[in-house]
Amino acid sequence: MVTIYDIAKRANVSSMTVSRVINNSGTVKEETRKKVEQIIKELNYIPNSAARSLNIKETKILSLIITDITNPFFTKVARGAEDKAKQMGYRLLLSNSDESLEKESEYINMILSSGVDGVLIAPSGDQSKKNLRTLIKHRIPFVLIDREVDGIQSDVVMGDNFDGTRKLIEHIIQQGHRKIALINGPSNISTARAREKAFIETLQLSGIQPEENLMYNISFKQNNAEKIVEKLVSLKKAERPTAIFAANNFIAVDTVKALRDLGKSVPEDMAIVCFDDPEPIPGFNPFLTVAAQPDYNFGYLGVQLLIERIEKKGPQGFQRIVLPPEIHISKSSIKG
Amino acid sequence: MVTIYDIAKRANVSSMTVSRVINNSGTVKEETRKKVEQIIKELNYIPNSAARSLNIKETKILSLIITDITNPFFTKVARGAEDKAKQMGYRLLLSNSDESLEKESEYINMILSSGVDGVLIAPSGDQSKKNLRTLIKHRIPFVLIDREVDGIQSDVVMGDNFDGTRKLIEHIIQQGHRKIALINGPSNISTARAREKAFIETLQLSGIQPEENLMYNISFKQNNAEKIVEKLVSLKKAERPTAIFAANNFIAVDTVKALRDLGKSVPEDMAIVCFDDPEPIPGFNPFLTVAAQPDYNFGYLGVQLLIERIEKKGPQGFQRIVLPPEIHISKSSIKG
DNA sequence: CTGTTAGCGCCTTCAG
DNA sequence: CTGAAGGCGCTAACAG
C-alpha cells in the first residue's frame, strides 16, 4: 500500500505538504503542488480514509434507515437520498428495519460503532424514541423522514397526511359512498394517527358517523390485510362498507388481492383509495386512486437538512418540512 | 468519547485485555472478562471502527453498484444484498450508476478511498472493464451481478437470458405472430447481446427470418422507446410488427405508454412481452407477459459469493451462477 | 511556504 | 493469562 510518506519521499517534501496538496488546505507553492500531484498519479496513491477519519472524526458516510426498500415509496426516498448524498460528497448506507424496533436497534448499534456522520430515518414508530435518544446521547445528527416521534425534537421531512386523507375521503364520499372502512397502520406510527384523525373528521364533516367496526389497525407491511377484508366482506349487507381506505400502498395491494380471491370486483363491489402509490412508475398501469407523495423529495430534502445539520450550517432551531401529496384518481374508485 | 483506555483504567487492566474481551480473541480469565464487560456497559463504550480499520485493514462495508434502485428488478437485488450483508455482519453502501460509465467511475474512485471490503456490481457495460481492472489492481474483491464483462474473470450471478428470451419468443410465435420486433438495450451489455442472440435463433428455428428494420438498440433506461415505437407503428401494414419484445422492464413500460399515446391498444393492435417484471409486487395488477428473474437471489447470492471471496473461504476458481427466469403470461400477449 | 512533533484509538508482537 | 512498546496512515498545532 502506498502511503503519504511514499509520496513525500519521492517528492522530497514532508508528509504534511502532501497532506496539504491532497486536502487543498494551507498553502503550497504551485511548483511543489504540481510535483506532488504528479507523483500521486504515478504511484496510484489513494488516501486511506480510516486514518483520515481517525483524525478528523468524520466519515462522509450517512445511514439511511427505512422500513423496506421494496416499498416503492421508500425506493424513491432512497433514490432521492442517494442522489443528494452523492452530490454533496457523501456515501449512503442502506438499512431495512421491516417496521421492527429490534432490527432498527441493531442498525442503530452498527451505526454507533461504524461512525457515520448522520442518520436519515423513517422510525419504526413511537417506540423508536429509545433509539433516537441513543443517537442524541452520542451526538449523531439525524433527520426524521415520513414519520414523527412523540417526544423527539428534530428536523423532519414528512407528508401532509391530514390533507391527503381528507381529499381521498371527500372524493369517495362524492362518489356516493357512505359506509367507508379504514384499514390503517399501527397507531404508534404518526402517519397512521394523522390519517385516522383526518378520516374521522372528514366523515363527520359530511354528516357520516364513523363506525368502530369499520376501522382497523394492522401493520404497514405486506400480507396483513386479508383477514380484515374477509371480515368486512362477510358483514351483513346493511353494515358492509362499499369503500375501503387503505392507509398505505402495501395494505391497498393486499386488499385488492384479497377481494379478488373472494370473487369481489373493484370498484363495483368495493371501491378502494389509498395513501402512497404502489406503482414504481406513476401512471404506467393506473388502477388505484391514490394520494401520491413526493417521495423522491423526502429523501433528497432529508439528506439536505441532515448535511446542513452535520456541517452546522443549519438554523439553530429544527426544521419541519411538510410536503403535500397529489391525488390521482383512477379506476378503483370510479364506477362504470 | 470513551476509549479502550478509559475502560482499561477503570478495570485495572491494560488496554490489551480490553481489546481481547471486545474481540473475543486471545484468552482472558472469566473473572476479568466479566468485569471488563460490565464497565463497557456502564460507560456506554463503543469501539471506534476507524481506529480498528486502520489496523486490521477491513471495514465490514460492501458497496453495491447498480444502475438504478428505482428499477424494480434492482430494488429486489438490493433487498437481497442487504439482507445477506446484515446477516453476515456487513453494511451495504448504495450507488446508482444510471448506466453511465462516468458515474460508475466516480463511485469506483470513492470506493477505493473509502476502503470497502468488496463490491457487488451490475456493470454499466463492457466498457466497465476499465473500472473492474482498477478494482483488481487494488485487490478489491468484486462479484458481477446480472451482467458479465468481456475479458473479465470473476464470480458472477446472472440470469439465463437465452432461455428466458427463447420462451417468450416461442410463446409469442405460438400466439400466431410472425412479425416480431425487438427493442433491445445497448449491445455493449451482455444481457442485451444474449437476448438478441436468443431472439434471432428462436425466430429462425421457427422458420421466421429476423428483419433488420425490426431490431433496435436503445438504452435500458426510462424514456427511450417512444421514437422507436412510433417508427414501428408507422410502418406499412405489410412490414409492421404485430408484437414487440421489450428487452427490459423500463423499455416495456415506455412501449406500452407510447402505444397508448398513439391510440393503439395492447394486445389487440400490438402484443408485448418483456424481460424483467416492472411490477414491484408480482401478480398484483398483472398486465405484461414477462420473464421474471429471481432478482432477490441475485443480490443475496451475490453478497454470499462476495463475502466468501473476501474471507477467502471461496473456491480457488471463479463461480458463475446462472439463475433461470420464470415466464408469467398475462394480458399483453394474449388476444381476447 | 514547509517541516517537526505528537497523537487520533486500536491491535500486533513479543515478553513475561 | 496479561502487559509494554510500537505502529497503522493521517493531520492538528506549532515552529521555522
Side-chain angles (χ1 to χ4, degrees):
Chain A
M1 164 174 268
V2 27
T3 78
I4 211 172
Y5 286 103
D6 301 320
I7 308 296
K9 206 175 294 172
R10 276 251 213 161
N12 281 315
V13 295
S14 78
S15 65
M16 265 319 293
T17 303
V18 179
S19 173
R20 289 192 183 99
V21 170
I22 294 165
N23 299 297
N24 248 308
S25 62
T27 47
V28 181
K29 210 202 299 178
E30 191 51 29
E31 195 186 319
T32 39
R33 145 165 277 116
K34 282 259 167 71
K35 186 163 60 174
V36 169
E37 278 170 348
Q38 199 204 318
I39 295 177
I40 285 177
K41 244 172 214 156
E42 278 174 25
L43 268 56
N44 273 307
Y45 165 73
I46 288 157
N48 178 319
S49 66
R52 184 156 208 279
S53 294
L54 187 54
N55 272 295
I56 66 180
K57 274 114 184 54
E58 67 173 42
T59 56
K60 293 284 182 187
I61 294 181
L62 307 179
S63 189
L64 173 68
I65 305 183
I66 54 183
T67 65
D68 184 2
I69 186 76
T70 268
N71 180 328
F73 169 74
F74 285 117
T75 308
K76 299 285 185 47
V77 169
R79 186 53 151 106
E82 209 278 312
D83 282 357
K84 186 64 182 177
K86 172 158 196 295
Q87 179 195 318
M88 304 297 284
Y90 284 75
R91 311 284 335 252
L92 193 70
L93 283 169
L94 178 64
S95 316
N96 300 293
S97 73
D98 286 322
E99 307 276 2
S100 145
L101 178 64
E102 287 68 40
K103 279 195 80 176
E104 185 181 287
S105 304
E106 290 175 41
Y107 279 117
I108 294 285
N109 284 335
M110 291 174 102
I111 278 165
L112 295 177
S113 64
S114 58
V116 308
D117 290 347
V119 181
L120 191 64
I121 177 172
S124 66
D126 289 339
Q127 68 283 5
S128 297
K129 179 155 60 172
K130 184 190 103 187
N131 286 331
L132 300 175
R133 284 260 165 79
T134 305
L135 291 179
I136 292 169
K137 183 161 64 183
H138 290 274
R139 298 222 161 64
I140 299 177
F142 63 90
V143 170
L144 300 180
I145 39 175
D146 188 46
R147 304 167 176 187
E148 297 184 287
V149 171
D150 258 14
I152 293 287
Q153 298 271 335
S154 81
D155 295 309
V156 55
V157 181
M158 54 183 287
D160 192 333
N161 295 292
F162 193 95
D163 190 56
T165 301
R166 185 178 57 75
K167 286 180 177 153
L168 284 175
I169 302 301
E170 280 173 355
H171 160 73
I172 210 80
I173 291 173
Q174 211 169 7
Q175 291 296 309
H177 297 276
R178 310 292 292 175
K179 286 231 170 260
I180 304 167
L182 165 64
I183 308 184
N184 201 358
S187 59
N188 62 359
I189 298 179
S190 66
T191 52
R193 283 197 300 275
R195 290 166 198 181
E196 173 167 332
K197 184 160 184 286
F199 175 80
I200 291 175
E201 293 185 11
T202 306
L203 287 185
Q204 288 172 334
L205 275 177
S206 299
I208 301 173
Q209 190 53 35
E211 300 174 59
E212 280 297 329
N213 68 332
L214 296 185
M215 294 167 57
Y216 293 90
N217 293 96
I218 59 175
S219 152
F220 270 142
K221 292 194 290 185
Q222 284 181 78
N223 307 321
N224 275 283
E226 195 181 341
K227 278 175 226 137
I228 307 291
V229 174
E230 281 172 13
K231 194 180 292 184
L232 290 172
V233 166
S234 66
L235 287 172
K236 281 178 294 200
K237 181 129 207 256
E239 295 172 10
R240 195 187 311 151
T242 59
I244 295 176
F245 169 38
N248 87 341
N249 48 8
F250 277 163
I251 294 176
V253 167
D254 275 2
T255 301
V256 171
K257 281 186 177 170
L259 288 169
R260 189 197 295 161
D261 292 347
L262 292 166
K264 303 295 174 189
S265 52
V266 179
E268 291 77 12
D269 300 320
M270 190 75 81
I272 296 185
V273 298
C274 76
F275 225 100
D276 297 333
D277 201 333
E279 294 287 342
I281 299 132
F284 157 51
N285 196 12
F287 173 68
L288 279 170
T289 291
V290 301
Q293 303 205 71
D295 30 32
Y296 182 91
N297 282 330
F298 278 54
Y300 193 92
L301 295 175
V303 164
Q304 186 170 312
L305 289 190
L306 183 55
I307 293 177
E308 281 171 7
R309 183 81 36 212
I310 291 169
E311 301 181 350
K312 267 125 194 158
K313 289 172 188 152
Q316 283 296 319
F318 290 113
Q319 296 198 65
R320 188 166 177 278
I321 298 181
V322 180
L323 303 171
E326 267 182 27
I327 307 296
H328 297 158
I329 292 175
S330 192
K331 301 171 200 158
S332 74
S333 68
I334 300 282
K335 286 199 181 144
Chain B
M1 161 174 272
V2 27
T3 77
I4 211 172
Y5 286 103
D6 302 321
I7 307 297
K9 208 175 293 174
R10 278 251 213 161
N12 281 316
V13 294
S14 77
S15 65
M16 264 320 294
T17 303
V18 179
S19 174
R20 290 192 182 98
V21 170
I22 293 165
N23 299 295
N24 249 307
S25 61
T27 48
V28 181
K29 211 202 299 178
E30 192 50 30
E31 197 186 319
T32 38
R33 143 165 277 116
K34 282 258 166 74
K35 186 164 59 173
V36 169
E37 277 169 348
Q38 199 206 317
I39 295 177
I40 284 177
K41 242 168 216 158
E42 276 175 25
L43 267 55
N44 274 308
Y45 165 72
I46 289 158
N48 177 319
S49 65
R52 185 157 206 280
S53 295
L54 187 54
N55 273 294
I56 65 179
K57 273 109 185 60
E58 66 172 45
T59 57
K60 293 282 182 189
I61 294 181
L62 307 179
S63 188
L64 173 68
I65 306 182
I66 54 183
T67 65
D68 184 1
I69 186 77
T70 269
N71 179 328
F73 170 73
F74 285 117
T75 308
K76 298 286 185 46
V77 170
R79 186 53 150 103
E82 209 279 311
D83 282 358
K84 185 65 183 177
K86 171 157 196 296
Q87 179 195 319
M88 304 296 286
Y90 284 75
R91 312 283 335 252
L92 194 70
L93 283 170
L94 177 64
S95 316
N96 301 292
S97 73
D98 286 322
E99 307 276 3
S100 144
L101 178 64
E102 286 68 40
K103 279 195 80 178
E104 185 182 286
S105 304
E106 290 175 40
Y107 280 117
I108 294 286
N109 285 335
M110 291 174 102
I111 278 166
L112 295 178
S113 64
S114 57
V116 308
D117 290 348
V119 180
L120 191 64
I121 178 173
S124 66
D126 289 339
Q127 68 283 3
S128 296
K129 179 155 60 171
K130 184 190 105 188
N131 285 331
L132 299 176
R133 285 260 164 80
T134 305
L135 291 179
I136 292 170
K137 182 160 67 184
H138 290 275
R139 297 222 161 66
I140 299 177
F142 63 89
V143 170
L144 300 180
I145 38 174
D146 188 45
R147 304 167 176 186
E148 296 184 286
V149 171
D150 258 13
I152 292 287
Q153 298 271 337
S154 82
D155 294 309
V156 54
V157 181
M158 54 184 288
D160 192 334
N161 295 292
F162 192 96
D163 190 56
T165 301
R166 186 177 57 76
K167 286 179 175 152
L168 286 176
I169 301 303
E170 281 173 355
H171 160 73
I172 209 80
I173 290 173
Q174 212 168 8
Q175 291 295 307
H177 297 277
R178 309 291 292 175
K179 285 231 170 260
I180 305 166
L182 164 64
I183 308 183
N184 201 359
S187 58
N188 62 359
I189 298 179
S190 66
T191 51
R193 283 197 299 276
R195 290 167 199 181
E196 174 168 327
K197 185 161 184 283
F199 174 78
I200 291 176
E201 294 185 10
T202 306
L203 287 186
Q204 288 172 334
L205 274 177
S206 299
I208 301 173
Q209 191 53 34
E211 301 173 60
E212 279 298 328
N213 68 330
L214 296 185
M215 293 166 58
Y216 293 90
N217 294 97
I218 60 175
S219 152
F220 270 142
K221 292 195 290 185
Q222 283 181 79
N223 307 322
N224 274 283
E226 196 180 341
K227 280 175 226 139
I228 306 292
V229 173
E230 281 172 13
K231 194 180 291 184
L232 290 171
V233 165
S234 65
L235 287 172
K236 282 179 293 201
K237 179 128 208 253
E239 294 171 11
R240 196 187 310 149
T242 59
I244 294 176
F245 169 38
N248 88 339
N249 48 8
F250 278 163
I251 293 176
V253 167
D254 275 2
T255 301
V256 170
K257 282 186 176 169
L259 288 168
R260 190 197 293 159
D261 291 348
L262 292 166
K264 303 295 174 188
S265 53
V266 178
E268 291 76 11
D269 299 321
M270 189 76 80
I272 297 185
V273 298
C274 76
F275 225 100
D276 297 332
D277 201 333
E279 295 286 343
I281 298 131
F284 157 51
N285 196 12
F287 172 67
L288 279 170
T289 291
V290 300
Q293 303 206 72
D295 29 34
Y296 181 91
N297 282 330
F298 278 54
Y300 193 90
L301 296 175
V303 165
Q304 186 168 311
L305 290 189
L306 183 55
I307 293 178
E308 281 172 6
R309 182 82 35 213
I310 290 169
E311 301 181 349
K312 268 129 193 155
K313 288 174 188 150
Q316 282 297 318
F318 290 114
Q319 297 197 65
R320 187 166 177 277
I321 298 182
V322 180
L323 302 170
E326 266 182 26
I327 307 297
H328 297 157
I329 292 175
S330 192
K331 301 171 201 160
S332 73
S333 66
I334 300 280
K335 287 201 179 138

